[in-house]
Amino acid sequence: NAGVTQTPKFRILKIGQSMTLQCTQDMNHNYMYWYRQDPGMGLKLIYYSVGAGITDKGEVPNGYNVSRSTTEDFPLRLELAAPSQTSVYFCASSYSSQGGSNQPQHFGDGTRLSIL
Amino acid sequence: QKEVEQNSGPLSVPEGAIASLNCTYSDRGSQSFFWYRQYSGKSPELIMSIYSNGDKEDGRFTAQLNKASQYVSLLIRDSQPSDSATYLCAVKGNNRLAFGKGNQVVVIP
Protein backbone atom coordinates (compact mmCIF):
# COMPACT_ATOMS: atom_id res chain seq x y z
CA ASN A 1 0.00 0.00 0.00
CA ALA A 2 1.88 3.09 -1.26
CA GLY A 3 -0.27 5.80 0.41
CA VAL A 4 0.80 9.28 -0.72
CA THR A 5 3.72 9.37 -3.14
CA GLN A 6 5.65 12.55 -3.97
CA THR A 7 8.24 13.03 -6.68
CA PRO A 8 10.94 14.20 -6.87
CA LYS A 9 12.41 13.92 -3.37
CA PHE A 10 15.01 16.62 -3.98
CA ARG A 11 15.41 19.32 -6.58
CA ILE A 12 17.58 22.38 -7.17
CA LEU A 13 16.19 25.07 -9.45
CA LYS A 14 17.59 28.28 -10.81
CA ILE A 15 15.68 31.51 -10.30
CA GLY A 16 13.01 31.89 -12.96
CA GLN A 17 12.81 28.20 -13.86
CA SER A 18 9.56 26.31 -13.61
CA MET A 19 8.74 22.83 -12.41
CA THR A 20 5.93 20.58 -11.29
CA LEU A 21 5.91 18.67 -8.04
CA GLN A 22 3.99 15.45 -8.44
CA CYS A 23 1.67 13.92 -5.86
CA THR A 24 -0.45 10.81 -6.17
CA GLN A 25 -2.45 8.80 -3.65
CA ASP A 26 -3.95 5.33 -3.91
CA MET A 27 -6.36 5.49 -0.95
CA ASN A 28 -9.30 6.92 -2.91
CA HIS A 29 -9.24 10.01 -0.72
CA ASN A 30 -11.36 12.91 -1.93
CA TYR A 31 -9.36 15.67 -0.22
CA MET A 32 -5.80 16.56 -1.15
CA TYR A 33 -3.50 19.30 0.11
CA TRP A 34 -0.18 20.97 -0.57
CA TYR A 35 1.85 22.46 2.30
CA ARG A 36 5.20 24.09 2.59
CA GLN A 37 7.34 23.92 5.69
CA ASP A 38 10.18 26.35 6.28
CA PRO A 39 12.93 25.49 8.81
CA GLY A 40 11.67 25.54 12.40
CA MET A 41 8.17 26.43 11.32
CA GLY A 42 4.84 24.68 11.06
CA LEU A 43 3.01 23.73 7.92
CA LYS A 44 1.46 26.40 5.75
CA LEU A 45 -1.30 25.45 3.36
CA ILE A 46 -0.69 26.42 -0.27
CA TYR A 47 -3.67 24.90 -2.08
CA TYR A 48 -6.21 22.19 -1.43
CA SER A 49 -8.81 20.22 -3.33
CA VAL A 50 -12.04 18.64 -2.12
CA GLY A 51 -12.44 16.48 -5.22
CA ALA A 52 -11.56 16.11 -8.87
CA GLY A 53 -12.03 19.37 -10.73
CA ILE A 54 -12.22 21.49 -7.56
CA THR A 55 -9.32 23.45 -6.08
CA ASP A 56 -9.04 26.32 -3.65
CA LYS A 57 -6.39 28.62 -2.24
CA GLY A 58 -4.85 28.17 1.15
CA GLU A 59 -2.80 30.60 3.22
CA VAL A 60 0.15 31.09 0.83
CA PRO A 61 -0.95 30.45 -2.79
CA ASN A 62 1.05 33.17 -4.55
CA GLY A 63 3.59 31.82 -7.02
CA TYR A 64 1.92 28.40 -7.26
CA ASN A 65 -0.77 26.70 -9.29
CA VAL A 66 -2.55 23.36 -8.97
CA SER A 67 -4.90 21.16 -10.90
CA ARG A 68 -6.98 18.12 -9.94
CA SER A 69 -8.04 16.24 -13.04
CA THR A 70 -8.28 12.87 -11.28
CA THR A 71 -8.97 11.71 -7.74
CA GLU A 72 -5.47 10.26 -7.47
CA ASP A 73 -3.27 13.13 -8.70
CA PHE A 74 -2.70 16.64 -7.41
CA PRO A 75 0.36 18.28 -9.02
CA LEU A 76 1.78 21.60 -7.79
CA ARG A 77 3.25 23.94 -10.37
CA LEU A 78 5.90 26.64 -9.78
CA GLU A 79 5.97 28.93 -12.80
CA LEU A 80 8.80 31.38 -11.99
CA ALA A 81 10.90 30.00 -9.16
CA ALA A 82 12.07 32.51 -6.56
CA PRO A 83 14.48 32.06 -3.63
CA SER A 84 11.56 32.59 -1.22
CA GLN A 85 10.11 29.30 -2.48
CA THR A 86 13.01 27.32 -1.08
CA SER A 87 11.27 24.98 1.31
CA VAL A 88 10.11 21.45 1.97
CA TYR A 89 6.83 20.68 0.26
CA PHE A 90 4.41 18.11 1.61
CA CYS A 91 1.40 16.66 -0.12
CA ALA A 92 -1.35 15.12 1.99
CA SER A 93 -4.70 13.46 1.50
CA SER A 94 -7.72 12.60 3.60
CA TYR A 95 -11.26 11.33 3.33
CA SER A 96 -14.19 13.43 4.47
CA SER A 97 -17.83 12.55 4.02
CA GLN A 98 -20.85 14.80 4.18
CA GLY A 99 -22.03 14.81 7.76
CA GLY A 100 -19.33 12.36 8.77
CA SER A 101 -16.28 12.82 10.94
CA ASN A 102 -13.20 14.39 9.46
CA GLN A 103 -10.53 11.79 8.93
CA PRO A 104 -6.88 12.67 9.54
CA GLN A 105 -4.52 13.58 6.79
CA HIS A 106 -1.86 11.21 5.49
CA PHE A 107 1.36 12.81 4.31
CA GLY A 108 3.84 12.02 1.59
CA ASP A 109 7.58 11.98 2.31
CA GLY A 110 8.10 15.51 1.03
CA THR A 111 10.03 17.27 -1.72
CA ARG A 112 13.05 19.32 -0.68
CA LEU A 113 13.32 22.22 -3.10
CA SER A 114 16.15 24.76 -3.29
CA ILE A 115 16.02 27.82 -5.52
CA LEU A 116 19.43 29.32 -6.26
CA GLN B 1 -4.74 35.70 17.11
CA LYS B 2 -3.26 32.76 15.24
CA GLU B 3 -5.60 29.91 14.42
CA VAL B 4 -3.53 27.36 16.33
CA GLU B 5 -0.95 28.32 18.89
CA GLN B 6 1.76 26.25 20.48
CA ASN B 7 3.78 28.65 22.53
CA SER B 8 6.09 26.50 24.59
CA GLY B 9 9.75 26.39 23.67
CA PRO B 10 11.76 23.18 23.39
CA LEU B 11 10.83 20.73 26.14
CA SER B 12 13.52 18.58 27.74
CA VAL B 13 12.33 15.65 29.84
CA PRO B 14 14.24 12.82 31.52
CA GLU B 15 13.62 9.34 30.23
CA GLY B 16 10.63 7.82 31.99
CA ALA B 17 9.05 11.18 32.88
CA ILE B 18 5.82 12.69 31.52
CA ALA B 19 5.98 15.21 28.69
CA SER B 20 3.06 17.65 28.51
CA LEU B 21 2.25 19.69 25.43
CA ASN B 22 -0.48 22.30 25.06
CA CYS B 23 -2.25 23.88 22.13
CA THR B 24 -4.95 26.55 21.88
CA TYR B 25 -7.15 27.34 18.90
CA SER B 26 -9.27 30.29 17.85
CA ASP B 27 -12.17 28.76 15.89
CA ARG B 28 -14.82 27.82 18.43
CA GLY B 29 -16.65 25.76 15.80
CA SER B 30 -13.76 23.36 15.25
CA GLN B 31 -14.72 19.72 15.69
CA SER B 32 -11.65 17.63 14.88
CA PHE B 33 -8.27 17.78 16.54
CA PHE B 34 -5.05 15.94 15.82
CA TRP B 35 -1.53 15.53 17.12
CA TYR B 36 1.23 14.72 14.65
CA ARG B 37 4.79 13.71 15.39
CA GLN B 38 7.56 14.82 13.04
CA TYR B 39 11.08 13.51 13.25
CA SER B 40 13.80 15.75 11.85
CA GLY B 41 13.84 15.56 8.06
CA LYS B 42 10.72 13.40 7.92
CA SER B 43 7.05 13.94 7.19
CA PRO B 44 4.41 14.36 9.92
CA GLU B 45 2.77 11.18 11.14
CA LEU B 46 -0.51 11.03 13.00
CA ILE B 47 -0.31 9.85 16.59
CA MET B 48 -3.64 10.94 18.08
CA SER B 49 -7.03 12.22 16.99
CA ILE B 50 -9.75 13.49 19.31
CA TYR B 51 -13.24 14.72 18.52
CA SER B 52 -15.09 15.10 21.84
CA ASN B 53 -14.38 16.69 25.20
CA GLY B 54 -12.39 14.67 27.69
CA ASP B 55 -9.44 12.32 27.53
CA LYS B 56 -8.46 9.78 24.92
CA GLU B 57 -5.71 7.31 25.66
CA ASP B 58 -3.67 5.29 23.20
CA GLY B 59 -0.73 3.44 24.69
CA ARG B 60 1.61 5.95 26.31
CA PHE B 61 -0.19 8.90 24.69
CA THR B 62 -3.20 10.76 26.11
CA ALA B 63 -4.96 13.57 24.30
CA GLN B 64 -7.17 15.94 26.26
CA LEU B 65 -9.76 18.25 24.70
CA ASN B 66 -11.64 21.12 26.30
CA LYS B 67 -13.81 22.87 23.71
CA ALA B 68 -15.14 25.45 26.17
CA SER B 69 -11.61 26.67 26.87
CA GLN B 70 -10.47 25.96 23.32
CA TYR B 71 -7.43 23.94 24.14
CA VAL B 72 -6.11 20.50 23.39
CA SER B 73 -3.17 18.86 25.07
CA LEU B 74 -0.98 15.81 24.65
CA LEU B 75 0.64 13.82 27.43
CA ILE B 76 3.43 11.35 26.77
CA ARG B 77 3.92 8.97 29.68
CA ASP B 78 7.13 7.04 30.34
CA SER B 79 8.97 9.16 27.76
CA GLN B 80 11.52 7.31 25.66
CA PRO B 81 14.43 8.64 23.60
CA SER B 82 12.46 7.61 20.51
CA ASP B 83 9.84 10.21 21.49
CA SER B 84 12.34 12.99 20.74
CA ALA B 85 10.67 14.85 17.89
CA THR B 86 8.57 17.89 17.07
CA TYR B 87 4.88 17.55 17.90
CA LEU B 88 2.39 19.45 15.75
CA CYS B 89 -1.11 20.30 16.89
CA ALA B 90 -3.69 20.49 14.08
CA VAL B 91 -7.29 21.69 14.15
CA LYS B 92 -9.84 21.01 11.41
CA GLY B 93 -12.18 23.67 10.13
CA ASN B 94 -13.54 24.82 6.76
CA ASN B 95 -12.22 21.88 4.72
CA ARG B 96 -8.66 22.27 5.89
CA LEU B 97 -6.31 21.69 8.79
CA ALA B 98 -4.62 24.57 10.57
CA PHE B 99 -1.29 23.62 12.13
CA GLY B 100 0.59 25.08 15.03
CA LYS B 101 4.30 25.64 14.56
CA GLY B 102 5.10 22.66 16.77
CA ASN B 103 6.85 21.89 20.02
CA GLN B 104 10.21 20.17 20.08
CA VAL B 105 10.56 17.44 22.69
CA VAL B 106 13.96 16.12 23.73
CA VAL B 107 14.04 13.04 25.95
CA ILE B 108 17.26 12.79 27.90
CA PRO B 109 18.47 9.24 28.64
Side-chain angles (χ1 to χ4, degrees), chain B residues 23-100:
Chain B
C23 169
T24 59
Y25 60 95
S26 60
D27 183 358
R28 187 170 286 277
S30 298
Q31 296 295 323
S32 304
F33 307 86
F34 308 96
W35 282 98
Y36 286 83
R37 178 177 62 200
Q38 187 175 26
Y39 292 115
S40 180
K42 301 295 185 181
S43 60
E45 57 176 326
L46 180 74
I47 54 171
M48 289 289 287
S49 58
I50 186 166
Y51 304 101
S52 55
N53 280 328
D55 295 359
K56 179 181 178 182
E57 186 175 315
D58 184 359
R60 295 184 296 107
F61 297 99
T62 299
Q64 299 172 318
L65 175 61
N66 184 321
K67 291 184 179 179
S69 299
Q70 293 176 243
Y71 83 78
V72 57
S73 63
L74 179 71
L75 299 177
I76 308 173
R77 292 183 303 281
D78 188 24
S79 295
Q80 301 297 309
S82 60
D83 296 324
S84 296
T86 296
Y87 290 81
L88 301 169
C89 174
V91 177
K92 187 74 175 289
N94 293 330
N95 291 327
R96 61 185 186 87
L97 274 183
F99 284 86

Side-chain angles (χ1 to χ4, degrees), chain A residues 22-75:
Chain A
Q22 302 291 344
C23 176
T24 187
Q25 52 93 7
D26 61 359
M27 298 174 282
N28 202 31
H29 286 170
N30 49 353
Y31 283 50
M32 295 188 74
Y33 311 82
W34 274 106
Y35 295 91
R36 61 176 287 173
Q37 186 175 36
D38 299 325
M41 302 297 289
L43 295 159
K44 294 185 178 179
L45 183 66
I46 305 171
Y47 271 95
Y48 68 99
S49 168
V50 301
I54 306 169
T55 62
D56 210 345
K57 295 178 180 179
E59 303 171 72
V60 289
N62 291 343
Y64 307 94
N65 280 299
V66 293
S67 60
R68 184 95 182 273
S69 57
T70 66
T71 298
E72 295 79 17
D73 300 306
F74 190 42

Side-chain angles (χ1 to χ4, degrees), chain A residues 1-115:
Chain A
N1 189 355
V4 179
T5 302
Q6 290 183 238
T7 57
K9 295 189 183 302
F10 305 93
R11 184 73 184 268
I12 298 174
L13 284 182
K14 294 181 179 179
I15 295 171
Q17 286 186 318
S18 62
M19 77 163 294
T20 299
L21 282 64
Q22 302 291 344
C23 176
T24 187
Q25 52 93 7
D26 61 359
M27 298 174 282
N28 202 31
H29 286 170
N30 49 353
Y31 283 50
M32 295 188 74
Y33 311 82
W34 274 106
Y35 295 91
R36 61 176 287 173
Q37 186 175 36
D38 299 325
M41 302 297 289
L43 295 159
K44 294 185 178 179
L45 183 66
I46 305 171
Y47 271 95
Y48 68 99
S49 168
V50 301
I54 306 169
T55 62
D56 210 345
K57 295 178 180 179
E59 303 171 72
V60 289
N62 291 343
Y64 307 94
N65 280 299
V66 293
S67 60
R68 184 95 182 273
S69 57
T70 66
T71 298
E72 295 79 17
D73 300 306
F74 190 42
L76 177 72
R77 178 83 176 164
L78 283 71
E79 291 293 351
L80 289 171
S84 61
Q85 294 177 304
T86 294
S87 190
V88 179
Y89 291 83
F90 289 105
C91 178
S93 71
S94 67
Y95 179 77
S96 291
S97 60
Q98 190 73 15
S101 64
N102 295 303
Q103 297 302 307
Q105 295 182 7
H106 298 263
F107 285 81
D109 290 338
T111 295
R112 284 149 183 80
L113 182 63
S114 294
I115 315 295

